[in-house]
């Protein structure tokens, strides 16, 4: 379907697609097998300027918005979610600086991020703080002109490979949710190290590690936003990035769907290609319908965000929830359409199905998304009464 | 260091078919691409520029729509692009093409001229060396590696059947390149955006001061009489097995066919 993308947006789509087809598809199975970080692909993405897509031109980026980022993420995800997760997590880690960073912080970090010279990671999750960010135990204590950070972040995407980390730590436990603050910490800072690399079910090309802070001292200028604004930074960051997870869902679903159609046209049973059977056609029709609905929703929400809307929590949650549930269903059905072949590693759909699962879990589980939507509904209807 | 890369817009041959009735290429709906070898030539020029500095100009001859190929070259990072386009150029064979390109190169000025080893549509591999002859400069074909470029000289490796030659040449020189030379970069977004807006210089026969009798069909000593797709013969048999088994089977077959 034509979504009336501008010439520039089509250019972005075509370039991301070219990278996906020429540089990612040939290596995705191997990356999945070895779990190696796709440095070569990241280098290609850096050279293509895609890391700077959503970063303002004054900091070396292209000054585009959420829709352009979604279009790029979708195309990369169509080939490999492991790679697209590494790419999208870079945006996630950058948003705190983009949304709340001081001019000085922006000048210090954004040009290198836009050029793809340094990768970024966002650190919120901990062993006892996942869906419940209030359970955060990492602390940052102000000592003179320095914050001293202690604690461990868990399951951090781009952990170890990134050089810039935006993290949330408690600066004043007595203030509850208003006692958290956001910081930027650079790799190589004394007292900052990485735990083991996780062995994951899917998105195996992406790097996931612990971040360990042991009396890690960062200058006061590394505070992002106000002291005590940590949860606001985290929530606004997630509001901005969630639609991108939706775009990942659209992309992986599209990739799996195309594999299923290709296979169904070739696979002959009872003397006919299986695509001629109504049972298969109906499955493919349902897949095509839900992918198109998800894409329309993701693009619409992205455009809403780009319009400068103030509160986008509900809409971004809706796009993430729907598109990632579609991704799980469509990738599962793609395996089903392809039967035994779909289950084998010879074809990419079993990987896509394993990969898709994370989309329902990370950046807020889909249950949490429903909470976000539910709470927004309560507020909305209370106001309208 | 001034460099000119000669590129050709070709149909994506992976998708080309021949109309058996008219014996012409079916170009409808077939995407056009930069001749793949030429993309390696562009990459080589960009790499030389990165090390030795200078300017890279992409040059092509063709109908106005060949501009698309030049914009693609610009999006990869070449500095400038020129399109030789004139009705007088129509029907050029490799000789007339090389003459026309050489006149343009004289106008543009170049220390190094790079070409793909051949185009995937015509497959002649003649135009590059012919340009060098018209310009009366040395050429080295089938370059697989550029060891040094700068200071008025170049050292390259030429691919041979049984290895490679290391050749040093003075400048100006013309090189034709093979795929082994490099991995071409993808275009960048900023490059694509700039390429979209870039002005492409158009050159006519008059602009390059060419002699009209040397151009196009008139200037072409060879002419294509006929293009046809060889009929595919279905009565073929593949022999399987070890060499010994295959030889035995082959002899049996030949005896059976009374060839032996």
């Amino acid at each position: 379907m034509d979504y009336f993308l501008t010439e520039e947006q089509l250019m972005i789509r075509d370039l991301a697609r070219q990278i996906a087809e020429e540089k990612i598809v040939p290596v995705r199975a191997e990356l999945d097998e070895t779990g190696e970080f796709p440095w070569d692909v990241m280098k290609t993405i850096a050279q293509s300027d895609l890391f700077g897509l959503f970063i303002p031109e004054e900091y070396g980026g292209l000054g585009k918005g959420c829709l352009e980022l979604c279009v790029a993420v979708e195309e990369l995800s169509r080939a490999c979610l492991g790679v697209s997760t590494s790419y999208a997590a870079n945006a996630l880690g950058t948003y705190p600086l983009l949304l709340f960073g001081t001019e000085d912080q922006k000048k210090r970090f954004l040009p290198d991020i836009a050029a793809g010279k340094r990768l970024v990671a966002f650190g919120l999750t901990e062993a006892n703080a996942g869906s419940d960010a209030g359970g955060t135990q990492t602390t940052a204590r102000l000592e003179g002109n320095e914050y001293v950070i202690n604690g461990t972040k868990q399951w951090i995407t781009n952990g170890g490979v990134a050089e810039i980390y935006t993290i949330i730590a408690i600066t004043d436990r007595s203030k509850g949710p208003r006692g958290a603050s956001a910081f930027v910490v650079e790799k190589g800072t004394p007292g900052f190290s990485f735990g083991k690399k996780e062995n994951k079910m899917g998105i195996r090309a992406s790097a996931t590690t612990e971040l360990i802070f042991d009396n890690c001292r960062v200058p006061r200028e590394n505070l992002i936003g106000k002291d005590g604004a940590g949860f606001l930074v985290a929530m606004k960051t997630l509001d901005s990035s969630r639609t991108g997870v939706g775009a990942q869902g659209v992309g992986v679903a599209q990739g799996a769907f195309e594999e299923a159609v290709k296979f169904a046209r070739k696979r002959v049973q009872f003397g006919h290609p299986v695509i001629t059977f109504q049972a298969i056609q109906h499955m493919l029709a349902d897949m095509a319908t839900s992918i198109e609905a998800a894409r329309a929703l993701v693009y619409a929400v992205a455009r809403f965000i780009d319009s400068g809307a103030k509160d986008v929590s509900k809409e971004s949650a809706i796009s993430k929830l729907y598109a990632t549930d579609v991704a799980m269903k469509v990738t599962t059905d793609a395996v089903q359409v392809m039967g035994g072949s779909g289950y084998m590693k010879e074809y990419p759909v079993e990987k896509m199905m394993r990969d898709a699962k994370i989309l329902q879990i990370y950046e807020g589980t889909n249950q949490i998304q429903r909470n976000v939507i539910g709470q927004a509904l309560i507020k909305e209807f209370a106001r309208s009464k | 260091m001034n460099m000119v890369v000669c590129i050709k817009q070709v149909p994506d041959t992976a998708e080309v078919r021949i109309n058996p009735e008219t014996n012409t290429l079916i170009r409808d709906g077939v995407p056009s691409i930069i001749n793949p070898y030429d993309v390696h030539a562009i990459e080589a020029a960009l790499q030389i520029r990165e090390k030795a500095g200078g300017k890279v100009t992409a040059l092509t001859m063709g109908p106005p729509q060949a501009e698309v190929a030049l914009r693609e070259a610009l999006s990869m990072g070449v500095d400038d692009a020129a399109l030789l386009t004139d009705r007088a150029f129509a029907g050029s064979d490799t000789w007339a093409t090389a003459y026309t390109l050489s006149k343009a190169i004289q106008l543009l000025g170049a220390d190094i001229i790079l070409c793909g080893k051949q185009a995937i549509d015509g497959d002649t591999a003649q135009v590059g060396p012919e340009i060098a002859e018209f310009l009366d400069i040395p050429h080295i074909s089938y370059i697989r590696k550029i060891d040094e470029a700068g200071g008025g000289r170049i050292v390259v490796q030429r691919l041979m059947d049984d290895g490679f030659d290391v050749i040093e040449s003075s400048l100006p020189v013309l090189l034709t390149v093979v795929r082994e030379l490099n991995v071409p970069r993808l275009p960048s977004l900023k490059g694509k955006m700039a390429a979209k807006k870039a002005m492409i210089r158009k050159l006519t026969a008059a602009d390059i001061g060419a002699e009209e009798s040397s151009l196009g069909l008139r200037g072409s000593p060879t002419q294509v009489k006929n293009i046809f797709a060889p009929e595919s013969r279905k009565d073929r048999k593949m022999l399987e097995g070890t060499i010994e088994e295959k030889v035995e089977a082959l002899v049996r077959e030949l005896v059976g066919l009374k060839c032996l």
Side-chain angles (χ1 to χ4, degrees):
Chain A
M1 209 166 97
D2 191 343
Y3 288 93
F4 303 103
L5 298 179
T6 64
E7 209 178 326
E8 242 173 39
Q9 287 160 349
L10 291 173
M11 213 182 256
I12 292 163
R13 186 192 67 188
D14 293 347
L15 183 57
R17 185 172 293 175
Q18 194 181 359
I19 294 172
E21 282 168 4
E22 289 180 20
K23 306 285 180 186
I24 302 176
V25 168
V27 297
R28 66 183 171 193
E30 195 193 332
L31 291 173
D32 178 54
E33 198 69 37
T34 61
E36 254 170 57
F37 189 74
W39 281 113
D40 286 348
V41 179
M42 291 296 127
K43 211 179 131 199
T44 303
I45 293 176
Q47 284 167 350
S48 74
D49 299 328
L50 284 178
F51 277 122
L53 213 47
F54 60 100
I55 293 174
E57 286 173 283
E58 54 197 296
Y59 305 111
L62 287 150
K64 303 295 163 200
C66 183
L67 180 58
E68 286 82 0
L69 185 60
C70 283
V71 165
V73 165
E74 178 187 335
E75 288 303 328
L76 299 178
S77 305
R78 190 166 144 249
C80 177
L81 266 192
V83 169
S84 84
T85 292
S86 311
Y87 171 72
N90 209 67
L92 177 69
T94 307
Y95 276 123
L97 291 164
L98 206 55
L99 298 172
F100 296 91
T102 62
E103 187 55 37
D104 178 58
Q105 286 169 343
K106 287 179 183 174
K107 276 194 189 137
R108 235 169 97 201
F109 297 110
L110 294 184
D112 276 358
I113 297 173
K117 279 187 197 148
R118 303 169 87 192
L119 293 178
V120 197
F122 180 61
L124 173 64
T125 303
E126 298 182 7
N128 296 312
S131 297
D132 176 15
T136 301
Q137 280 165 350
T138 298
T139 57
R141 191 177 69 248
L142 186 63
E143 266 185 27
N145 265 332
E146 286 178 330
Y147 281 98
V148 185
I149 305 174
N150 277 292
T152 300
K153 296 286 172 186
Q154 182 177 266
W155 301 333
I156 304 307
T157 305
N158 283 354
V161 296
E163 293 186 35
I164 301 165
Y165 295 80
T166 51
I167 63 131
I168 306 294
I170 304 294
T171 38
D172 187 348
R173 193 167 302 284
S174 68
K175 287 188 182 155
R178 292 219 166 86
S181 302
F183 298 91
V184 53
V185 185
E186 290 174 82
K187 187 179 185 173
T189 308
F192 176 29
S193 61
F194 306 101
K196 69 172 184 339
K197 192 173 164 189
E198 301 293 345
N199 188 5
K200 305 187 292 290
M201 167 183 173
I203 55 163
R204 294 176 52 81
S206 70
T208 313
T209 67
E210 287 177 328
L211 312 181
I212 300 163
F213 300 97
D214 180 14
N215 283 318
C216 170
R217 290 173 175 272
V218 296
R220 208 171 173 167
E221 303 92 80
N222 283 25
L223 176 74
I224 304 174
K226 290 194 185 100
D227 193 311
F231 282 131
L232 180 72
V233 172
M235 291 310 126
K236 289 288 173 196
T237 290
L238 292 169
D239 283 353
S240 304
S241 69
R242 258 186 227 121
T243 308
V245 182
Q248 286 192 294
V250 174
V252 70
Q254 180 71 33
F257 168 74
E258 285 168 14
E259 291 294 332
V261 175
K262 245 190 338 200
F263 182 86
R265 279 162 49 88
K266 283 208 187 120
R267 170 72 168 170
V268 174
Q269 289 287 274
F270 308 105
H272 299 280
V274 298
I275 200 166
T276 61
F277 302 135
Q278 206 174 41
I280 299 293
Q281 282 174 26
H282 282 192
M283 285 182 81
L284 294 175
D286 284 344
M287 291 156 81
T289 305
S290 56
I291 293 169
E292 212 59 80
R295 183 178 290 120
L297 179 59
V298 165
Y299 287 10
V301 170
R303 284 183 165 128
F304 177 62
I305 293 172
D306 288 338
S307 75
K310 229 173 125 201
D311 188 358
V312 297
S313 295
K314 186 184 84 177
E315 289 75 13
S316 69
I318 283 176
S319 65
K320 192 261 182 185
L321 167 65
Y322 185 75
T324 60
D325 280 354
V326 162
M328 196 65 246
K329 176 86 168 71
V330 167
T331 52
T332 308
D333 285 348
V335 172
Q336 190 69 23
V337 165
M338 295 172 67
S341 296
Y343 199 73
M344 299 301 152
K345 288 195 186 252
E346 213 179 317
Y347 291 90
V349 289
E350 63 81 28
K351 167 190 180 294
M352 291 171 169
M353 179 179 160
R354 279 186 286 115
D355 286 351
K357 187 66 207 169
I358 193 62
L359 301 178
Q360 295 179 309
I361 297 169
Y362 70 16
E363 291 194 39
T365 64
N366 282 7
Q367 287 65 38
I368 288 290
Q369 304 305 325
R370 288 177 171 91
N371 286 1
V372 170
I373 299 163
Q375 280 152 14
L377 290 174
I378 290 170
K379 269 196 234 161
E380 245 173 63
F381 281 80
R383 231 179 299 152
S384 66
K385 214 179 140 197
Chain B
M1 183 96 71
N2 246 339
M3 284 170 279
V4 171
V5 186
C6 299
I7 67 172
K8 182 178 187 185
Q9 190 180 44
V10 294
D12 197 343
T13 48
E15 304 185 35
V16 158
R17 277 186 214 94
I18 289 179
N19 180 335
E21 313 250 298
T22 60
N23 276 331
T24 52
L25 292 182
I26 304 171
R27 285 178 187 261
D28 285 349
V30 178
S32 290
I33 55 171
I34 300 180
N35 176 44
Y37 297 108
D38 302 349
V39 179
H40 292 271
I42 294 172
E43 177 64 34
L46 296 175
Q47 286 185 13
I48 293 173
R49 185 186 66 185
E50 276 157 19
K51 284 198 196 112
K55 185 183 167 194
V56 180
T57 304
L59 174 67
T60 196
M61 178 173 115
Q65 57 267 32
E67 199 183 298
V68 176
L70 291 173
R71 290 200 190 276
E72 219 177 304
L74 284 165
S75 73
M76 284 177 72
V78 307
D79 303 286
D80 215 344
L83 171 63
L84 277 161
T85 191
D86 195 317
R87 284 190 165 275
F89 302 152
S92 298
D93 68 355
T94 62
W95 183 257
T97 301
Y99 169 74
T100 313
L101 288 167
S102 70
K103 294 302 279 183
I105 291 165
Q106 275 175 348
L107 182 75
L108 296 167
D111 304 303
I112 302 176
I113 300 143
L114 294 111
C115 306
K117 69 159 179 162
Q118 67 198 57
I120 56 167
D121 54 354
D123 271 331
T124 68
Q126 290 169 358
V127 171
E130 282 172 356
I131 292 172
E133 290 309 306
F134 277 115
L135 293 172
D136 198 19
I137 59 170
H139 84 264
I140 313 167
S141 48
Y142 306 107
I143 300 305
R144 58 155 236 175
K145 194 162 181 284
I146 296 171
D147 291 327
E148 281 172 60
R153 62 194 273 278
I154 191 161
V155 181
V156 299
Q157 297 182 6
R158 174 168 65 188
L159 187 67
M160 303 297 285
D161 282 340
D162 53 354
F164 62 89
D165 297 336
V166 177
I167 301 175
E168 181 180 335
S169 169
S170 59
L171 302 182
V173 67
L174 183 140
L175 311 174
T176 79
V177 311
V178 296
R179 284 180 200 267
E180 288 84 341
L181 179 60
N182 54 41
V183 180
R185 68 197 62 192
L186 294 179
S188 71
L189 217 44
K190 283 177 190 168
K192 280 186 124 183
M193 285 174 185
K196 202 183 92 188
K197 292 182 202 136
M199 279 286 293
I200 287 178
R201 191 167 163 193
K202 299 229 167 65
L203 299 174
T204 62
D207 293 333
I208 56 173
E211 283 189 39
E212 238 175 80
S213 60
S214 302
L215 294 174
L217 211 52
R218 270 174 71 196
S220 297
T222 64
Q223 268 152 43
V224 178
K225 276 190 83 172
N226 193 10
I227 300 176
F228 64 96
E231 259 176 64
S232 77
R233 309 237 325 246
K234 299 236 164 64
D235 49 345
R236 279 183 297 192
K237 202 184 239 176
M238 292 296 284
L239 302 174
E240 309 273 338
T242 64
I243 290 283
E244 285 79 11
E245 287 164 359
K246 281 195 274 193
V247 169
E248 271 176 38
L250 179 62
V251 170
R252 264 201 311 278
E253 290 281 338
L254 291 173
V255 169
L257 290 167
K258 301 207 165 34
C259 294
L260 286 177

